[in-house]
Amino acid sequence: MLGVSRDSRGPVKRLYRRWRIHGQGALVTKPAQSYTFEFKLALVQRFLAGETAPALAEEAGLSSALLLKSWVRTYRREGVDALRPKPKGRPRKPDSPPPAEVSELERLRRENERLRAQVAYLGKLRALRAPKQR
């Protein structure tokens, strides 16, 4: 019928389950929410003790029971520490030392070298333009 799958895991069925939990709010996207380690662990332990995922998702205000099931899968595969929040951003290179302060003498030497190169460049530029002006 209309190309909609009757599969119990299909997208229409999942949307229907979310609608049953959240009502019309299931169709509105919300900003991503992060959950504490203790919150996740408590829900996972209650699920493993026998409570159903949809009931726990409704009680905890989760967007979907699939979120809880993914936490359970992660917990079973990687253990308790896998539920802890991950650091944001790109990790630092392990072999690179923290940026050290450059001594004033070294800074002045670099600036002197840069200025010499600039003077040489400008001198060559002036020499190239000189025949055109005569």
Side-chain angles (χ1 to χ4, degrees), residues 91-100:
R92 288 182 157 254
K93 292 181 181 177
D95 59 325
S96 68

Side-chain angles (χ1 to χ4, degrees), residues 31-36 40 83-93:
Q33 184 176 356
S34 62
Y35 301 96
T36 64
K40 292 177 187 179
L83 296 177
R84 293 192 186 281
K86 309 293 185 278
K88 303 283 184 209
R90 175 180 265 176
R92 288 182 157 254
K93 292 181 181 177

